[in-house]
Amino acid sequence: MMRSSISLAIASLCMPTALARYLGPLNPPPTDLASDGSHVRRTWTELTSILEGHLNGTERNEMLTGLDNITFSLGLFSAHDPEAAASLQFHHTGPDIINSSLGVNLVDGDSIYRVASMTKVVSVYAGLLLLDPDDWNKPLTEIFPEIASLPSDDSVHHIQWDTITPFSLASQISGLPANARPFDAGELSTVFYSTNPVDPTTFGLPPLTLNSTGINVPCVDQYCSAAEYIESVQAPTFPVFQTPGYANTNFILLGRVISKLTGLPTNEEWFQKAVFGPLGMTNTSSLSPTNPPYPGYVVGGDPEAFAFQGGITSSSGGIFSTTNDIAKLGISMLNSTLLSAGKTRKWMKPTAFTDSFDFALGMGWEIYRYTDKATGHITELYTKLGDAGNYASYLVVVPDYDFGFSVIVTSGIATAAERSAAAHLLADLVSETILPALRDQAAVETKRNYEGTYTSVGRNTSTLILTYNETASAGFGLTITSLVNEGRDLLNFLQIALGSDQLVLAPSTVDLKTGRRGFVATPVTAPGAYTGLFSEVFATNADWLNNNGITYGGQALGTFYFDIAEDGSAVAALPAVLRGKRFKKRV
């Protein structure tokens, strides 16, 4: 057995692998999503035609049967194409909403749904805007001194509140359990001791007294204080910073932190001040509507559950919003409208990992890693799922394409499992069809804007020629095919120095004020051999390891700058190593 295991391990060292590039886009993000000529518009039309054909019965699709009793809204948005958010939407009204006596009977971009836990990422956004950077690393015992006396001598049974920070709450890595009374949706005693009681001893569970059920806890309603809520939290699941674990508790407490440190007592006050007000999200609120028949709202299922006032829980899952308002939210993130660009990039990074290679967590974010089937390139999707009651939602932000989309669903007649599955299916359909279209549209625009011959001003013997390579195995991107300086073949030297006869330009920096964009030459290398975890990572992350480190006169050999016109086209190229020499693009 030992020899067999060792033999398998040695054999695995010979599996093929592919070379990784820098994390980030292959090309500058596309600016045209909504025109008739865009790959994105054409793909969206095909997708929505399939949905429409199934839902109206003209062309049924077995894969889509789970949507039959679902009301849903889909919307795309782009930081560069203002027409996308308005024109790339699809809405379907299910039978229960069509026949409802409450709310709207036909959904559109301004229909107001519960978006449940999508709220969590908005709470983090508000916190980043309102709190000081140092606040994120303060222990909760410093923010709420009244909890410092809680038991802490036993780290197995007692939560160590002096180690938990707002950052750990926002990153879902606090180790706190998912819920606390009275908001514990998983509490079985509420089932066993309900109006139709079931004897729990028949299942092998011990009987409970009134006190041992946890009903008599300090937090008795949704308006209790932070300290009262904290006292209601049971033993830790894990130590802080050990592993991510989904917890409404985290974001209820984060909301209390924001209220305490800003002096704004209700969640709605700081939501409005930080996010909803500045972005003009006029149909978005964390307050439930109070006057039936709830005009403008999509009322799925039980009206009482729909109109539940969340109180302190609203920072975890209380927001009502629309497709159009969510587009404003997503575009503000992509455009760094409220947060600076640097803070936005910092926010859109993983802070913890799960046991899956394709899934990580950030501050409020659930991060999916999408592998392009044509290029093998990785694209990170910054998302937040909401799923509670009769509603589910997704916010998806894709920084590599300055793009995003939303999914909102509800149903009062589908089961909870069917409603959740519908949200996941719709998010899958959009991502699996639109991401390749974005890739292709970005390629078309990059080819149009950058491909060509660039000649140095005043000298015909200095030229740069760029061609767009659409073959994934050859790098898929803007390729340097010639660089001649003063009659000398500089490209040959760069290829030798950078270690490849194929150099593809990857977008790296951009200055919107000057219209200049930076690119880094990345060497394309043939797939190597898998030689074990450490050898494989070292061999397949050449860009990460080299990091533009070969220089001449302090200038990186691989850096190229381009001056960009208002229409997005390059007008000149400046190889950094040539120290300001400008190559004008021929037209």
Side-chain angles (χ1 to χ4, degrees), residues 179-187 190:
N179 298 295
R181 302 303 302 274
F183 316 117
D184 189 353
E187 172 53 48
T190 60

Side-chain angles (χ1 to χ4, degrees), residues 85-268:
S87 64
L88 302 180
Q89 295 186 10
F90 182 85
H91 306 276
H92 172 69
T93 309
D96 59 322
I97 299 301
I98 289 175
N99 298 311
S100 177
S101 61
L102 299 172
V104 301
N105 299 115
L106 184 68
V107 295
D108 59 24
D110 289 322
S111 299
I112 306 169
Y113 295 77
R114 273 194 181 274
V115 296
S117 285
M118 186 193 293
T119 303
K120 290 177 170 63
V121 78
V122 186
S123 293
V124 175
Y125 197 13
L128 290 169
L129 291 163
L130 295 174
L131 302 183
D132 292 332
D134 291 344
D135 290 336
W136 290 95
N137 296 311
K138 291 179 179 177
L140 292 192
T141 49
E142 180 179 335
I143 299 171
F144 305 110
E146 59 269 35
I147 69 171
S149 60
L150 291 176
S152 60
D153 57 307
D154 180 352
S155 59
V156 171
H157 298 99
H158 298 153
I159 295 170
Q160 307 298 295
W161 294 105
D162 61 339
T163 66
I164 295 174
T165 64
F167 173 81
S168 70
L169 298 174
S171 300
Q172 302 269 36
I173 199 166
S174 67
L176 296 180
N179 298 295
R181 302 303 302 274
F183 316 117
D184 189 353
E187 172 53 48
L188 293 176
S189 66
T190 60
V191 176
F192 293 134
Y193 294 103
S194 62
T195 55
N196 297 305
V198 178
D199 183 359
T201 62
T202 62
F203 298 96
L205 294 169
L208 296 174
T209 65
L210 182 63
N211 288 337
S212 65
T213 63
I215 293 174
N216 292 339
V217 294
C219 186
V220 294
D221 61 38
Q222 66 265 34
Y223 298 103
C224 60
S225 70
E228 289 173 329
Y229 181 77
I230 285 171
E231 288 187 62
S232 302
V233 183
Q234 303 300 310
T237 305
F238 293 99
V240 66
F241 297 119
Q242 178 163 310
T243 182
Y246 191 88
N248 293 311
T249 310
N250 287 326
F251 292 90
I252 294 172
L253 286 177
L254 180 62
R256 296 298 81 214
V257 167
I258 296 172
S259 284
K260 174 68 179 293
L261 296 179
T262 62
L264 300 170
T266 69
N267 295 337
E268 179 67 10

Side-chain angles (χ1 to χ4, degrees), residues 277-520:
L279 296 180
M281 297 172 65
T282 54
N283 287 320
T284 301
S285 174
S286 66
L287 300 177
S288 300
T290 56
N291 297 315
Y294 309 119
Y297 287 82
V298 187
V299 184
D302 179 8
E304 290 187 8
F306 160 79
F308 169 75
Q309 294 289 345
I312 67 169
T313 71
S314 64
S315 56
S316 177
I319 286 178
F320 293 81
S321 194
T322 70
T323 299
N324 288 332
D325 273 5
I326 294 171
K328 293 177 183 178
L329 177 74
I331 290 171
S332 79
M333 296 170 177
L334 294 167
N335 271 338
S336 300
T337 304
L338 302 180
L339 277 180
S340 69
K343 289 180 179 178
T344 301
R345 287 192 295 270
K346 181 180 180 181
W347 181 27
M348 292 189 182
K349 286 291 177 289
T351 56
F353 294 90
T354 69
D355 195 37
S356 170
F357 282 118
D358 299 325
F359 187 71
L361 281 303
M363 291 181 68
W365 296 115
E366 294 152 5
I367 306 164
Y368 292 80
R369 308 197 86 205
Y370 170 85
T371 303
D372 188 286
K373 295 177 178 62
T375 67
H377 193 67
I378 298 293
T379 300
E380 291 186 335
L381 281 59
Y382 284 76
T383 81
K384 187 66 199 79
L385 164 68
D387 196 316
N390 294 314
Y391 295 84
S393 65
Y394 274 102
L395 167 66
V396 179
V397 177
V398 190
D400 283 4
Y401 292 116
D402 283 348
F403 160 85
F405 68 89
S406 65
V407 175
I408 325 175
V409 310
T410 189
S411 178
I413 54 178
T415 67
E418 289 169 340
R419 188 250 306 124
S420 296
H424 305 328
L425 172 62
L426 290 166
D428 284 341
L429 289 172
V430 175
S431 58
E432 292 291 344
T433 57
I434 300 301
L435 289 175
L438 287 161
R439 175 204 65 211
D440 292 343
Q441 183 62 27
V444 166
E445 294 184 18
T446 301
K447 178 181 175 68
R448 180 185 67 223
N449 291 335
Y450 292 88
E451 188 178 66
T453 299
Y454 300 73
T455 305
S456 65
V457 177
R459 294 180 182 272
N460 294 324
T461 54
S462 297
T463 59
L464 167 68
I465 300 176
L466 302 177
T467 58
Y468 196 89
N469 195 315
E470 298 181 47
T471 304
S473 60
F476 198 88
L478 198 62
T479 304
I480 307 172
T481 53
S482 177
L483 178 56
V484 176
N485 186 45
E486 306 294 340
R488 303 297 179 98
D489 186 358
L490 182 55
L491 175 58
N492 182 62
F493 173 76
L494 293 183
Q495 290 170 336
I496 294 171
L498 298 178
S500 174
D501 60 1
Q502 296 182 63
L503 300 177
V504 177
L505 295 177
S508 57
T509 57
V510 62
D511 188 335
L512 299 177
K513 295 179 181 178
T514 64
R516 178 164 289 185
R517 182 180 284 276
F519 286 74
V520 177

Side-chain angles (χ1 to χ4, degrees), residues 499-577:
S500 174
D501 60 1
Q502 296 182 63
L503 300 177
V504 177
L505 295 177
S508 57
T509 57
V510 62
D511 188 335
L512 299 177
K513 295 179 181 178
T514 64
R516 178 164 289 185
R517 182 180 284 276
F519 286 74
V520 177
T522 64
V524 177
T525 306
Y530 185 94
T531 55
L533 177 63
F534 293 91
S535 300
E536 187 259 351
V537 169
F538 185 85
T540 61
N541 281 271
D543 286 351
W544 141 257
L545 292 167
N546 294 335
N547 193 25
N548 220 10
I550 301 176
T551 62
Y552 176 73
Q555 297 293 325
L557 291 185
T559 293
F560 287 72
Y561 301 110
F562 292 85
D563 290 334
I564 309 299
E566 289 187 4
D567 65 358
S569 62
V571 295
L574 298 88
V577 74

Side-chain angles (χ1 to χ4, degrees), residues 56-73:
N56 67 22
T58 59
E59 192 170 349
R60 297 286 291 175
N61 186 313
E62 184 178 351
M63 189 180 75
L64 304 178
T65 56
L67 302 179
D68 292 348
N69 290 321
I70 303 295
T71 295
F72 63 90
S73 292

